[in-house]
Amino acid sequence: MKKVININFQGTVVPIEESAYDLLRQYIDSLRVYFAEEEGKDEIINDIESRISELFQERLKNGATCITDEDVNAIINNMGRPNDFAEAENAADDSNSKTKGSGSTNQFNWQSYSGRLTRDENNKILGGVCSGIADYLRIDPWIVRILFIISGVGFLAYLILWIFLPSNYSIQTGINKRLYRNPDDRMIAGVCGGIGSYFNVNSWVPRIIFLLPFLSFLFGHGARWIFYPSFTHITLVPSGVLIYIILWIVIPEAKTTSEKLQMKGEKVDLDSIKESVSREMKGVSERMHQMGKNAGQFFKDNGPHMRNEVHQSYRNAGGALGRVITTLVKIFVYIVLGAIAFAILAVVFSLAVVAIGIFPLKDFIVADGWQNALAWLTLIFFIGVPVVGIITFLIRLITRRRSGNNYYRNIGIGLWIFGWICFFALLSFVGRDFKYTSTVQEYSIPLDNPSVNYMQITPIQKPDYRWRSWLTFEPYSTFNITDDTALVPNIRLNIFKSPDTTFSVKYFTVSNGYSKKEADELASKVVYTGYQKDSTFFLSNEITINTHDKFRNQYVEVSIYVPLNHRIKIDNSFLSWGRSQFFVFSKYTPSYDSYSDGYDYQKGVEYIMREDGLNAVNSANSSNLSDSEKKYKYPSPDKVDSLKNDQEKQIQKMQESIDSAKKANKKALKQLQDSLLKQREDINKKLEDLGRKQVSAIHLPEMPSPGVVSPAFFGSI
Amino acid sequence: MNIENTASQMRKGVLEFCILSVIKSGEAYPSEIIDMMKEANLNILEGTLYPLLTRLKNAELLTYRWAESTGGPPRKYFSLTEKGLTFYKELEATWNELSNAVTTITHKNR
């Protein structure tokens, strides 16, 4: 049922459906904008209008009672939309568009107001803010973009400008936009390219969103905490791939030109979303009354927001302040609705992931009978219904079919509520089974040779090689499941100083249960073993739980007592599934409120028990040790001080002895010199005496020098 | 390189020549021109024709007169001016040259 109105179009009366009239008016408005700068634009519009009028007359003559949407769309398709003209203009030689002032690179910059700051919709990556500013300042948009990225406030400023700046694309062409895969802009199947053109953002925006989980992998384990907690992180990667593949299958490829135009079609940007949200809000309150306070409603309602709605420009919205306020309100509403929808989606999604991850463990947790039935009901209705709902919603969104029937939706919501009930019932039933905690039951493991000097703690079995790839669900890697037994590493290791001179090993078991008695029974059933072989002590890495006894948080705490000056090392493979799981106490008796220093100790490092606790033993590979280990290898600060004093004293002593030795040396040297000088004088004296005697007796040949005459010379004479 | 783009550029280049050619053979109104082009298998969007006609008219290559039509709004019948005729002849000469050249080249290299 449609309302038909009569319009006076180019001098003739035309009966036309109201919606068709809206289409026509929008089309002509868009033409008016497109030809705004063209010389003789009125004439062109007039020509086109009269041609359309002619075509209307033709249709009416052929027996049509009024002009319908299809008629108008057919005519518009024939005539071409501004986009098509722009394409043609772009392709054409410049001489054809002499009168068009736009010399810029973007396709149809037909509304670039000189001197008015607007968002440039035609050359945009996200919101066209940078491009608009660049246009205003007449510089390259990339300069502005880079400045925005470099400056820290860029993002916030961008958002604010996005909200406040009017778009220069104020007229919609009235095409119904559809989601297609874009064959011209694709990496794999053109899904992201299509999404990009659907939301009119750069196709790298959806691509990056799809790639985020992968990127977090590239940046290593540290970065994944930035993006997601590790659990979701691991499951998001395959789901990203899955969603991509689903989209690939469901979305058709834009093959013909008209499909490509539809793909680019009307803008679904922030403005039109804001607009559609405000419309939706009117309906929401009514429906809320109708449907009761079901959160699923929001989720369902959010669909239409994304749906394509005819966008009303803000040109006629009155004062700028009014526009800003309405925009802000709309954005606020949109953000709130979006956040709620997103939160529900995320919760359901993560619950689905958890459920799928944990479900193989069901038999170990859930008792038979009622609980088992509840577990299945929870899986089907609590997890399954929303998943089916999301898929239906997505398909509807893509095929652009409105859900004409509330019947299925109500059934779906009812089933989901039932799922919630099952979920909470299951939680409370299972929770009740965990309600009581057993008394602590302590055992000790006998040692063959408790007086060894060194002990290495090693798991009994080397753990199986487990896939740690990105497809692994974390619960699987924590719980080692075979058909009827699960190995649960619910173990903690404590190291104490032994009260005597021998090693000893004790453990205690605790369990939860439906009753105190059952808990005690389960605790006593826990099998935990260990044995010694030379200096190696083998300990179980896990607690075994079977489907009959169920997992009721059975827990084992092992305590190893290390005597003074004895060494201990925890093998790297012991309790290797998680963080460092051992704790050290320097006291003889455990006190469970202070084991914070346990994290300073590491596996694979040899420690020695001293008066003040465990100290790392110096080993050959000391260079491999981390700082925290090194600190145990060096003496404490006061020890360092006393050592320093000792050394200084020694140095002083040595200095003194050196000084005294020097003095002694000097003395000896002087004495030697003196005696030598004396001797020399004596010899000279003797020679003089001799010389005088010889001269008086015989005439001898002249002596070279009296000083060098040796006694032998005299002897030879 | 986009095939669509190149093809539409080619078409665009000869569009004015074709329009002038249609009008030269006798007075014509826009939908007639479109029909003739469709017959000749030269598909253009009707919407692009009107601005082109207006431009040609503003360049004083074309002139028009109004004529009543049966059961519709009055039609604009376009005809060539003197200037338009010389313009057309120049274009025709160019086209023949170009057409010959293209044929020769494409046939030689076949």
Side-chain angles (χ1 to χ4, degrees):
Chain A
M1 195 177 73
K2 278 188 171 172
K3 195 173 164 190
V4 174
I5 53 173
N6 279 320
I7 55 166
N8 182 352
F9 193 64
Q10 288 289 310
T12 52
V13 175
V14 179
I16 185 169
E17 284 178 0
E18 204 172 20
S19 54
Y21 167 72
D22 286 340
L23 277 177
L24 182 67
R25 206 197 39 180
Q26 275 163 17
Y27 175 64
I28 287 168
D29 279 351
S30 74
L31 289 179
R32 228 178 268 286
V33 173
Y34 179 74
F35 292 117
E37 289 173 21
E38 179 88 36
E39 197 184 321
K41 67 166 179 173
D42 293 332
E43 200 176 346
I44 295 169
I45 303 289
N46 212 39
D47 286 351
I48 291 174
E49 276 190 2
S50 66
R51 171 66 179 154
I52 293 173
S53 160
E54 207 174 74
L55 291 168
F56 282 170
Q57 293 302 328
E58 220 167 80
R59 279 199 200 200
L60 292 172
K61 228 179 260 172
N62 289 343
T65 50
C66 68
I67 303 299
T68 61
D69 286 3
E70 288 89 67
D71 293 335
V72 172
N73 273 329
I75 289 170
I76 290 174
N77 272 332
N78 239 340
M79 222 33 124
R81 297 182 176 82
N83 292 21
D84 310 339
F85 306 161
E87 227 159 61
E89 289 290 337
N90 200 36
D93 192 27
D94 274 349
S95 63
N96 275 340
S97 49
K98 277 178 229 157
T99 45
K100 300 260 286 172
S102 82
S104 70
T105 49
N106 62 48
Q107 282 195 357
F108 41 130
N109 195 5
W110 31 267
Q111 221 191 0
S112 66
Y113 304 107
S114 49
R116 238 190 95 188
L117 183 57
T118 54
R119 286 189 289 116
D120 187 352
E121 294 284 343
N122 306 316
N123 185 16
K124 71 180 194 174
I125 290 200
L126 197 61
V129 171
C130 293
S131 170
I133 293 171
D135 211 43
Y136 184 72
L137 300 173
R138 307 207 175 282
I139 51 174
D140 191 76
W142 278 105
I143 298 172
V144 186
R145 281 179 196 139
I146 288 164
L147 282 177
F148 259 100
I149 292 168
I150 290 172
S151 63
V153 290
F155 184 68
L156 192 67
Y158 193 97
L159 270 186
I160 291 168
L161 286 171
W162 196 352
I163 292 167
F164 281 89
L165 283 185
S167 160
N168 68 356
Y169 193 104
S170 49
I171 298 295
Q172 299 301 313
T173 49
I175 309 165
N176 283 332
K177 197 173 197 172
R178 298 188 65 170
L179 186 55
Y180 284 103
R181 285 186 286 119
N182 190 349
D184 301 330
D185 182 13
R186 70 164 169 206
M187 288 281 155
I188 302 168
V191 169
C192 289
I195 293 171
S197 61
Y198 189 77
F199 290 103
N200 215 18
V201 291
N202 191 298
S203 53
W204 277 103
V205 175
R207 262 176 216 146
I208 298 268
I209 292 170
F210 268 105
L211 282 176
L212 265 183
F214 290 101
L215 288 180
S216 71
F217 258 101
L218 289 184
F219 293 127
H221 281 54
R224 74 181 190 189
W225 296 102
I226 298 169
F227 293 110
Y228 318 100
S230 64
F231 193 87
T232 23
H233 153 82
I234 275 174
T235 46
L236 268 183
V237 174
S239 60
V241 174
L242 196 71
I243 288 168
Y244 191 92
I245 290 169
I246 289 175
L247 292 175
W248 189 348
I249 294 166
V250 173
I251 305 175
E253 185 169 5
K255 281 180 187 132
T256 66
T257 319
S258 73
E259 280 173 342
K260 280 177 190 169
L261 284 175
Q262 271 187 322
M263 181 178 73
K264 285 167 191 160
E266 197 205 44
K267 310 230 161 205
V268 181
D269 64 358
L270 204 58
D271 291 342
S272 63
I273 291 169
K274 284 182 290 200
E275 187 66 28
S276 59
V277 165
S278 72
R279 289 183 191 186
E280 278 304 312
M281 274 310 285
K282 288 174 197 160
V284 164
S285 58
E286 293 165 23
R287 272 176 253 172
M288 284 292 279
H289 274 289
Q290 206 181 342
M291 305 301 295
K293 283 176 275 172
N294 193 304
Q297 189 61 33
F298 277 106
F299 185 66
K300 292 255 176 181
D301 283 343
N302 207 34
H305 306 158
M306 309 301 287
R307 222 175 279 145
N308 187 10
E309 298 262 356
V310 176
H311 165 72
Q312 287 288 315
S313 83
Y314 286 113
R315 267 193 320 175
N316 313 320
L321 190 67
R323 199 194 68 208
V324 165
I325 290 168
T326 47
T327 309
L328 279 178
V329 169
K330 282 169 189 170
I331 284 198
F332 178 74
V333 169
Y334 174 67
I335 286 173
V336 169
L337 276 184
I340 292 170
F342 185 78
I344 290 173
L345 190 75
V347 166
V348 168
F349 185 76
S350 52
L351 277 174
V353 166
V354 170
I356 291 160
I358 276 182
F359 216 68
L361 292 172
K362 176 181 72 74
D363 289 343
F364 295 100
I365 296 170
V366 172
D368 295 338
W370 262 109
Q371 287 193 15
N372 201 9
L374 279 176
W376 280 107
L377 290 174
T378 303
L379 183 76
I380 292 164
F381 292 114
F382 183 60
I383 310 292
V385 167
V387 167
V388 170
I390 291 165
I391 291 169
T392 342
F393 162 70
L394 277 177
I395 290 171
R396 279 219 181 101
L397 182 77
I398 289 155
T399 57
R400 314 185 54 76
R401 267 191 300 138
R402 297 182 80 96
S403 54
N405 208 337
N406 280 347
Y407 181 65
Y408 291 110
R409 188 169 66 179
N410 293 350
I411 284 184
I413 289 167
L415 289 179
W416 200 39
I417 292 170
F418 180 62
W420 275 94
I421 295 167
C422 291
F423 176 61
F424 281 113
L426 181 69
L427 273 190
S428 69
F429 272 121
V430 173
R432 220 173 50 182
D433 280 353
F434 281 81
K435 196 176 175 186
Y436 288 94
T437 311
S438 72
T439 45
V440 173
Q441 298 170 27
E442 202 163 341
Y443 308 90
S444 66
I445 299 175
L447 298 179
D448 294 343
N449 180 15
S451 53
V452 285
N453 280 326
Y454 167 70
M455 190 175 271
Q456 182 172 350
I457 311 295
T458 311
I460 284 181
Q461 285 166 305
K462 288 278 173 197
D464 301 333
Y465 181 70
R466 290 174 190 149
W467 286 98
R468 298 291 286 178
S469 69
W470 49 269
L471 272 172
T472 317
F473 286 118
E474 279 193 8
Y476 285 115
S477 59
T478 315
F479 296 89
N480 197 354
I481 305 170
T482 55
D483 282 345
D484 56 351
T485 46
L487 299 173
V488 184
N490 214 358
I491 294 174
R492 208 182 86 177
L493 177 70
N494 299 322
I495 296 173
F496 295 108
K497 198 189 290 175
S498 174
D500 46 36
T501 56
T502 54
F503 279 96
S504 56
V505 178
K506 285 177 184 162
Y507 71 91
F508 65 81
T509 61
V510 180
S511 176
N512 290 2
Y514 176 67
S515 62
K516 184 92 177 160
K517 199 182 147 205
E518 199 210 46
D520 284 348
E521 201 181 305
L522 283 174
S524 66
K525 270 185 183 172
V526 171
V527 181
Y528 190 75
T529 50
Y531 57 89
Q532 188 191 15
K533 203 173 181 187
D534 301 331
S535 62
T536 312
F537 194 79
F538 291 92
L539 269 174
S540 318
N541 230 349
E542 287 126 338
I543 308 168
T544 311
I545 285 161
N546 58 41
T547 49
H548 181 255
D549 285 339
K550 309 288 176 196
F551 173 73
R552 292 289 175 264
N553 200 21
Q554 285 93 331
Y555 172 75
V556 166
E557 197 160 316
V558 189
S559 303
I560 294 174
Y561 293 85
V562 182
L564 211 60
N565 295 328
H566 285 52
R567 286 168 297 134
I568 186 164
K569 181 178 165 188
I570 314 291
D571 196 273
N572 271 324
S573 54
F574 188 68
L575 299 183
S576 58
W577 50 273
R579 289 166 298 169
S580 161
Q581 280 289 308
F582 76 99
F583 302 92
V584 177
F585 303 92
S586 42
K587 291 177 193 155
Y588 292 107
T589 47
S591 83
Y592 293 104
D593 35 277
S594 66
Y595 45 79
S596 58
D597 55 348
Y599 292 102
D600 286 340
Y601 299 91
Q602 293 186 358
K603 290 177 201 169
V605 178
E606 204 178 306
Y607 289 102
I608 188 161
M609 183 58 84
R610 296 284 191 212
E611 252 342 305
D612 58 341
L614 278 188
N615 289 313
V617 175
N618 282 327
S619 53
N621 57 349
S622 60
S623 57
N624 294 337
L625 298 178
S626 67
D627 286 346
S628 65
E629 289 166 88
K630 272 179 184 162
K631 89 179 185 206
Y632 296 100
K633 290 172 50 194
Y634 292 113
S636 58
D638 45 323
K639 274 184 188 166
V640 170
D641 279 351
S642 69
L643 268 181
K644 235 184 188 171
N645 285 340
D646 288 351
Q647 269 178 346
E648 269 168 18
K649 269 180 199 165
Q650 272 179 334
I651 289 168
Q652 217 174 336
K653 265 185 196 167
M654 272 156 83
Q655 197 72 46
E656 279 167 16
S657 63
I658 287 168
D659 284 351
S660 63
K662 262 186 188 167
K663 271 180 195 167
N665 266 355
K666 259 187 190 168
K667 241 183 199 171
L669 209 72
K670 217 178 180 182
Q671 277 175 351
L672 208 73
Q673 264 179 344
D674 286 349
S675 65
L676 279 173
L677 279 173
K678 224 179 181 179
Q679 276 179 341
R680 200 174 149 175
E681 269 170 34
D682 288 349
I683 289 170
N684 280 348
K685 237 183 200 170
K686 278 177 190 169
L687 277 175
E688 265 175 50
D689 289 349
L690 266 174
R692 263 183 241 132
K693 281 172 192 171
Q694 279 171 344
V695 169
S696 57
I698 334 145
H699 188 78
L700 280 172
E702 215 178 297
M703 302 277 190
S705 150
V708 289
V709 180
S710 65
F713 175 76
F714 296 106
S716 67
I717 297 174
Chain B
M1 199 66 189
N2 191 339
I3 177 74
E4 280 291 299
N5 215 18
T6 316
S8 95
Q9 262 184 41
M10 279 185 176
R11 236 177 283 135
K12 192 82 193 174
V14 295
L15 197 57
E16 283 169 60
F17 177 55
C18 291
I19 292 169
L20 289 174
S21 176
V22 169
I23 295 170
K24 184 189 152 260
S25 58
E27 267 188 333
Y29 65 97
S31 30
E32 252 181 352
I33 300 174
I34 289 279
D35 288 342
M36 283 177 91
M37 284 187 173
K38 269 185 189 154
E39 253 169 61
N41 232 351
L42 182 71
N43 286 318
I44 60 156
L45 285 167
E46 217 172 322
T48 51
L49 181 69
Y50 295 98
L52 211 51
L53 285 172
T54 312
R55 274 178 220 148
L56 290 170
K57 187 211 76 186
N58 288 343
E60 291 167 2
L61 301 175
L62 294 180
T63 178
Y64 67 92
R65 65 176 180 87
W66 288 102
E68 286 299 321
S69 72
T70 47
R75 287 167 175 172
K76 261 183 187 174
Y77 278 87
F78 285 91
S79 54
L80 284 186
T81 59
E82 279 299 307
K83 206 174 159 191
L85 198 65
T86 42
F87 190 83
Y88 169 75
K89 287 201 167 135
E90 273 168 42
L91 275 185
E92 193 182 31
T94 318
W95 170 252
N96 286 338
E97 257 171 54
L98 195 68
S99 161
N100 281 338
V102 172
T103 326
T104 322
I105 288 169
T106 47
H107 276 261
K108 228 181 223 171
N109 292 339
R110 189 161 285 175

